[in-house]
Amino acid sequence: MIAREPGMGIAQQTRYRIEGMDCAACAAKIDKAVRGVPGVEGVAVSVTAGAMTVHHAPGSDLQPVEKRVSTLGYGIARAGDDHAAEVAGHRHDHDHDHDHGHAHAHDHAHDHTHVQQAVARPEAAIGLHGHDHGPSEGPWWRSRKGWLTIAAGLALVAAYAVGKLVPSWATYAFDVAMLVGLVPIARRALVAARYGTPFSIEMLMTIAAVGAVLIGAGEEGAMVVFLFLIGELLEGVAAGRARASIRALGELVPKTARLEEDGQLREVAAETLGVGATILVRPGDRIPADGVILSGDSAIDEAPVTGESVPVRKGPDAVVFAGTVNGDGVLRVRVTAGAADNTIARIVKLVEEAQESKAPTERFIDRFSRYYTPGVVVVAALVAILPPLLTDAPWDEWIYKGLAILLIGCPCALVISTPAAIAAALSAGARRGLLLKGGVVLENLGRVTAIAFDKTGTLTAGKPKVTDLVAISGDEAALLRRAAALEAGSSHPLAVAILAEAASRGIAAPATQDSKALGGKGVTGTLDGVALFLGSAEAAGERVALAPELAARITAFTEAGKTVSVLLAGDAVAGLIAMRDEPRPDAASALARLKQDGIVTVMLTGDNPRTAQAIGAQLGLEVRAGLMPEDKQRIVADYRRQGHVVAKVGDGINDAPALAAADIGIAMGGGTDVALETADAAALHGRVGDIGAMIALSKRAMGNIHQNIAIALGLKAVFLVTTIIGLTGLWPAILADTGATVLVTLNALRLLRVPAAR
């Protein structure tokens, strides 16, 4: 495909699938390595899609691109290649195999990039980019990274046992235990340095471990390496689950459709449906394509796409969306969009693009090590060499001091300080049902200045409840008894609400005779010899005349965002039942606390404006209603352009693009798997107040991290001075490093104390 990129001439575009890329740091290393290849004019790497697009001059040799990515430890295949043809010369002997079974190509039909057929796939790609990536699917212990972590842990336990049984062998045992994890880390550090990232966190870890061995602290070095591997393993597992969630979006669209041609029906693959085709959708089926209803009338559950809390009644000429569920009628639908361009496919693309557009956030330790690590080495070398060269100072004394300074500068405490605090904070959050996916999320939550909430299932419970009973003849119990009798056995959300209200009042639903559902209107039946009808006000008005005062009452309920069902007994109105999806119990107080903290709040919902405004007025926040997924994503982007750090809170698939577009996406616990996996965080108990608790936890954790960094660097600064002036030597240096590690760990453990909920 020939494409014109901003600021450059005509360039050819080639898309690759990348296997084993789990984080922004991975993408940054690939980006930097590929940009150094002659002929490459631009690179776009998508962690979410597991893909890379290279813009290059026509006729450029892309073998070096494939070789560089392969050497970094990733599997790479040009998009559209279904065969794993090995590229000669691209095999590398690494420590562990990649299991490529978890690759997610996401080669949707909307990607019309012309690609060539080739693949560079290392036979033993262990993830030299910084992670030993095994399968993203399945148990973590089946991954190569899991095996390495377990091996390092077992080696550490064995070293402790050897040290107890044969103390004279303890040092060697811990050195060997450390090497189990250190060797692959060191090799990754060297390869990353070769392709432009010399001071990666792997290099930091290597220097820390080697420094520990040099001064006989192999035990500490082995423990630090083991903890580092645990952190990397957890990151890989989370990334694999997140990527799998994007695939789950596509599973909403059924695989087959009933195509109508020449008066005949036949089952075909849904992805083969073309624009203009006519399909038949039976009751209970998911709609396989975007389209317009030609004939039929049915209640459509659009919650997966719009978030509408109640099924929407639709008839001829109404628009329907792929992935929504047909209710109670047979529909003939004319297809208006192919599989590549239907609503679900667009949501997938929006999620990928939104996550791809996020600027990579580098870890603090990694950034700091660019200056800290070489700085320590330079200072230690100068201390060891300059005094003997410039004066008659003894070499052995100053070499000893140089080694002590190298030990003081050993970044063990610094390496542990941040992950220890993050691990403690994440554990504390988990105990309250607050799932935070990593340190970057934890850090950014405390900076949030605006929060966009979904309505259905987020600010509200997601299930309609009976709010008002107006008995015209008889009492409320009699009204509920008759309504429950008509709705018995129905799974419609409004029927479920009526039955739940009756059950809560201890009212049993008697059996009716001649029960029948009237599509789009209501239900009828006979109870105690009286003909009953329960349905919408419009349908009831077609049967009997509604008194002006009754019509006014119905209008008032409707303006309050409530759905009204009218019960008729014979030719008279027996009563009204009003229902609405009500706010969660803690929603109002939680939103009030967020406002007190200076955070802007807004409701973004696909529900109808009248209902949304009623809920918004009750909760006291701005409302934007009637939105499609792309509208929510756009509004979130607008807030970000205004300078806000935005969190998006939602529970449905329709929220996925906005969750990904926000600085922080937060899923409510009762939401879909896609929302939970696409989001950066999740409130598993579904309390609105948990959003404020997440922000508070973030601020506590970041304060703790800053304290830890100050402790680690402060002790090093003190002992650096005392070592140079001769007050302390090698053993105090060991105490300084070990003591700093102990102090920062104990300080981090304070985060495990979970404060009471406000």
Side-chain angles (χ1 to χ4, degrees), residues 10-31:
I10 298 296
Q12 185 172 347
Q13 177 176 301
T14 303
R15 183 176 172 87
Y16 289 93
R17 299 194 308 270
I18 306 295
E19 299 175 351
M21 177 173 58
D22 289 347
C23 64
C26 303
K29 290 175 184 177
I30 292 175
D31 185 286

Side-chain angles (χ1 to χ4, degrees), residues 212-245:
V213 171
L214 291 177
I215 51 83
E219 177 178 354
E220 181 184 353
M223 179 59 73
V224 168
V225 169
F226 177 57
L227 292 176
F228 176 77
L229 291 176
I230 290 176
E232 297 296 289
L233 175 64
L234 293 175
E235 183 180 78
V237 170
R241 287 176 59 84
R243 187 170 295 158
S245 73

Side-chain angles (χ1 to χ4, degrees), residues 454-465 467 560-562 580-589 591 603 611-621 686-688:
D454 180 41
K455 181 184 78 70
T456 305
T458 300
L459 292 174
T460 67
K463 299 177 181 178
K465 297 176 65 175
T467 58
K562 300 178 181 180
R580 187 173 67 181
D581 183 15
E582 290 292 272
R584 294 180 185 269
D586 70 329
S589 58
L591 292 171
M603 178 199 295
T611 300
Q613 290 293 347
I615 297 294
Q618 190 174 343
L619 297 177
L621 80 168
R687 294 185 292 252
V688 180

Side-chain angles (χ1 to χ4, degrees), residues 586-595 601 687-692 758:
D586 70 329
S589 58
L591 292 171
R593 284 195 296 269
L594 290 173
K595 289 182 180 179
T601 58
R687 294 185 292 252
V688 180
D690 284 345
I691 308 305
R758 292 193 289 175

Side-chain angles (χ1 to χ4, degrees), residues 264-336:
Q264 301 294 320
L265 288 175
R266 63 186 179 93
E267 194 168 275
V268 299
E271 63 184 17
T272 64
L273 292 174
V275 176
T278 299
I279 56 177
L280 188 75
V281 185
R282 296 170 297 187
D285 286 351
R286 285 190 180 272
I287 297 174
D290 287 359
V292 174
I293 296 176
L294 296 176
S295 64
D297 183 280
S298 183
I300 309 295
D301 180 4
E302 296 189 333
V305 176
T306 68
E308 185 79 26
S309 56
V310 177
V312 180
R313 201 81 205 174
K314 293 194 173 184
D317 298 327
V319 175
V320 293
F321 306 108
T324 57
V325 182
N326 182 23
D328 50 19
V330 176
L331 299 177
R332 290 177 66 250
V333 176
R334 177 172 56 82
V335 176
T336 57

